[in-house]
């Protein structure tokens, strides 16, 4: 098992901050007042913040992995339900399948190539069964 100190001493590709004791609106104000520069950040449904270097998204990581594995974009399937999945679903939907979970925010539903059931409806299992 890796010690926390070893991780903390290395370069960070992504930081996730969760503060459940804060209201979403309060957390949003705090994040916006931070003046984050040269990073991409996404606010989650609750007091949750995902920070990464500029240009580093789930989509950019998926493209690197896809290219390394050597299969076509038409064979891509991505499923998501949060704001940090927006670029991933948009990327996947362009040539393959980008499925938004039924409970996803409207912004994800708008970029997805398809919508599956919610968590309660086993939406991920439905998509995987269709492969």
């Amino acid at each position: 098992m890796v010690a926390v100190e070893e991780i903390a001493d290395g370069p960070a590709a992504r930081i996730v901050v969760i503060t459940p004791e804060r209201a979403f609106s309060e957390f949003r104000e705090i994040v916006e007042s931070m003046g984050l520069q040269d990073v991409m950040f996404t606010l989650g449904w609750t007091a949750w913040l995902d920070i990464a270097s500029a240009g580093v998204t789930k989509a950019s990581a998926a493209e690197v992995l896809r290219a390394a594995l050597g299969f076509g974009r038409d064979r891509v399937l991505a499923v998501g339900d949060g704001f940090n999945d927006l670029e991933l679903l948009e990327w996947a939907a362009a040539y393959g399948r980008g499925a938004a979970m039924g409970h996803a925010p409207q912004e994800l539903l708008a970029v997805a190539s398809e919508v599956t059931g919610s968590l309660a409806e086993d939406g991920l299992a439905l998509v995987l069964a269709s492969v």
Side-chain angles (χ1 to χ4, degrees):
M1 190 154 116
V2 177
V4 173
E5 292 79 18
E6 290 179 59
I7 296 170
D9 288 340
R14 181 175 175 209
I15 300 169
V16 177
V17 178
I18 302 171
T19 60
E21 68 278 359
R22 298 205 184 267
F24 178 76
S25 58
E26 178 187 11
F27 189 59
R28 183 185 223 33
E29 289 174 18
I30 292 168
V31 170
E32 289 174 354
S33 72
M34 291 170 63
L36 298 174
Q37 297 178 9
D38 298 325
V39 298
M40 297 182 68
F41 68 93
T42 307
L43 286 165
W45 297 7
T46 58
W48 159 61
L49 172 67
D50 195 343
I51 305 170
S53 298
V56 176
T57 65
K58 288 183 179 183
S60 66
E63 176 54 26
V64 168
L65 181 60
R66 184 212 57 82
L69 294 174
F71 60 87
R73 290 265 315 262
D74 62 322
R75 302 217 33 232
V76 167
L77 167 63
V79 182
D81 66 352
F83 289 112
N84 66 338
D85 297 318
L86 186 68
E87 293 90 353
L88 177 65
L89 291 187
E90 193 169 37
W91 170 82
Y95 297 99
R97 294 175 64 191
M101 297 290 289
H103 60 277
Q106 184 58 45
E107 292 86 345
L108 264 70
L109 301 176
V111 301
S113 59
E114 61 190 88
V115 178
T116 186
S118 67
L119 283 173
E121 300 165 326
D122 294 326
L124 178 59
L126 294 172
V127 171
L128 294 176
S130 71
V131 174

